[in-house]
Amino acid sequence: MPVRRCLPWPDKRLRTAAAPVAVIDDEVRGIWSDMIDTMEAMPGVGLAAPQVGVMLQLAVVDASEPRGQAVRMANPEVLHASMKLRSHVEASPNLPGVSARIERPRAVTVRFLNAAGETEERDFVGLWATSVQHQIDHLAGRMYFDRLSKVKRDMLLRRARKRA
């Protein structure tokens, strides 16, 4: 499958909420396959469809060692999040060359449509949980740096502009 081009920040689609997926069909499965290939080429541990210009609530996550355990999700939503937080350096191929330490819940329970079109609830912990939450933010039109203070966010965006 082809590797898709990631939209460059500040493309307005990165600030637009994605549309829900009504049915899991061959088109959706093809998008997921392209997304996995794109994620592996980065390399990364997750990718949301809006990052590659597809405005649907689709995401893939693979924090496995070794790789090859990608979870395909449509319409993912967090049902429960742990009170305990986990800090991790996050980045995005949409804004290359910069990153920031972000705190998110260490574990989450997520409901989504899986590749078979069935509703699934799954617990994610550690890097898996961080990546799932990062992708869900993308589906809502949010970037990881939106979780930073205004000062830190402005500094990160300034650094990114200098690198461009």
Side-chain angles (χ1 to χ4, degrees):
M1 292 294 184
V3 171
R4 294 187 182 218
R5 182 173 94 41
C6 291
L7 300 175
W9 175 260
D11 189 295
K12 65 181 172 125
R13 290 171 284 183
L14 295 170
R15 287 296 196 197
T16 304
V21 175
V23 64
I24 305 304
D25 56 17
D26 288 341
E27 180 181 1
V28 166
R29 289 185 191 95
I31 294 168
W32 271 330
S33 292
D34 290 356
M35 289 171 61
I36 290 169
D37 290 345
T38 304
M39 174 182 66
E40 293 298 337
M42 291 181 327
V45 293
L47 191 68
Q51 292 182 267
V52 293
V54 177
M55 300 310 297
L56 294 172
Q57 289 184 18
L58 297 173
V60 295
V61 175
D62 190 349
S64 65
E65 287 290 332
R67 302 294 284 207
Q69 303 299 314
V71 176
R72 295 156 178 84
M73 297 180 279
N75 310 329
E77 61 177 316
V78 174
L79 300 178
H80 306 286
S82 68
M83 295 298 290
K84 185 173 182 179
L85 299 179
R86 176 180 186 274
S87 178
H88 186 76
V89 175
E90 296 186 29
S92 175
N94 306 102
L95 191 65
V98 294
S99 60
R101 184 162 294 281
I102 306 293
E103 283 198 339
R104 296 181 186 268
R106 185 189 74 80
V108 291
T109 301
V110 178
R111 179 179 12 207
F112 58 94
L113 288 178
N114 62 24
E118 300 165 344
T119 299
E120 183 175 335
E121 286 185 18
R122 187 181 291 194
D123 295 326
F124 295 95
V125 179
L127 183 56
W128 284 91
T130 297
S131 183
V132 167
Q133 293 171 83
H134 182 109
Q135 307 323 316
I136 290 172
D137 276 356
H138 275 302
L139 298 178
R142 294 184 64 186
M143 298 288 288
Y144 71 92
F145 53 78
D146 292 333
R147 296 185 173 273
L148 298 171
S149 68
K150 180 175 178 5
V151 170
K152 288 183 179 180
R153 182 175 51 246
D154 289 348
M155 285 174 34
L156 181 136
L157 293 173
R158 252 193 319 278
R159 276 196 327 265
R161 278 193 293 275
K162 285 180 183 177
R163 295 183 63 90

